[in-house]
Amino acid sequence: MQEKTINNALLALRKQGGAEGKLAEVLLDMRGINWSGWTQDGPLGRGQTKRFILETLKDGPQPNADLGRMIHATHSHMTAKAAANRTYQALLRLEDKGLVVRDAGPDGCLWRLA
C-alpha cells in the first residue's frame, strides 16, 4: 500500500474520533505526519451552498461578497474567507450548468439567475 494512502486512511480514522481515532493519532505521530488537529464542526451538506445561492438570487442579483457574507452569517463555524471561497466555487459550478449568469454591474460583478 502506498504511504500516501495509509496516511490518508489514518487521517480519516482520526477525524472519526473515539478509541480508534486516538490510536490513529498516535500512529500519525509515529509516522511523522503533521496534522492540524482541526476537524470540521457542523459542515454544510452536499449541495447546500448551491441551494442557498439559488434561493438568495431569486430576490435579485447579488455580488459574490454579499453571498459569502450571508453564508458566513448563517454558518459561523466557517471563516469569512472560507465562506467566500465556497460561495465563489459554487457560483462557478452553477454557471457551468447554466443556472446563473455573471453581469458586470456598477459595483463590480453581480450574479443573477439565468
Side-chain angles (χ1 to χ4, degrees):
M1 191 178 269
Q2 292 182 350
E3 293 295 312
K4 188 174 181 182
T5 304
I6 294 169
N7 294 342
N8 287 338
L10 287 171
L11 287 168
L13 189 59
R14 171 61 189 101
K15 285 182 183 179
Q16 290 179 356
E20 295 85 3
K22 289 178 184 176
L23 178 60
E25 187 175 335
V26 171
L27 291 170
L28 286 166
D29 287 340
M30 288 174 62
R31 294 173 68 82
I33 303 301
N34 294 326
W35 64 282
S36 65
W38 176 85
T39 57
Q40 192 171 13
D41 182 29
L44 291 169
R46 184 177 179 96
Q48 191 174 354
T49 304
K50 290 186 263 186
R51 284 190 299 275
F52 178 84
I53 290 169
L54 291 172
E55 284 297 315
T56 304
L57 290 180
K58 285 182 181 178
D59 296 334
Q62 295 281 333
N64 177 48
D66 288 353
L67 292 167
R69 279 190 284 274
M70 285 185 239
I71 288 176
H72 177 62
T74 57
H75 299 283
S76 58
H77 64 275
M78 234 188 237
T79 65
K81 183 177 180 179
N85 288 340
R86 180 182 290 254
T87 301
Y88 185 67
Q89 293 301 317
L91 283 165
L92 292 177
R93 287 190 297 274
L94 289 169
E95 184 181 38
D96 287 344
K97 292 181 180 181
L99 297 173
V100 298
V101 177
R102 250 187 275 208
D103 285 335
D107 299 326
C109 180
L110 294 175
W111 295 87
R112 65 174 175 81
L113 294 175

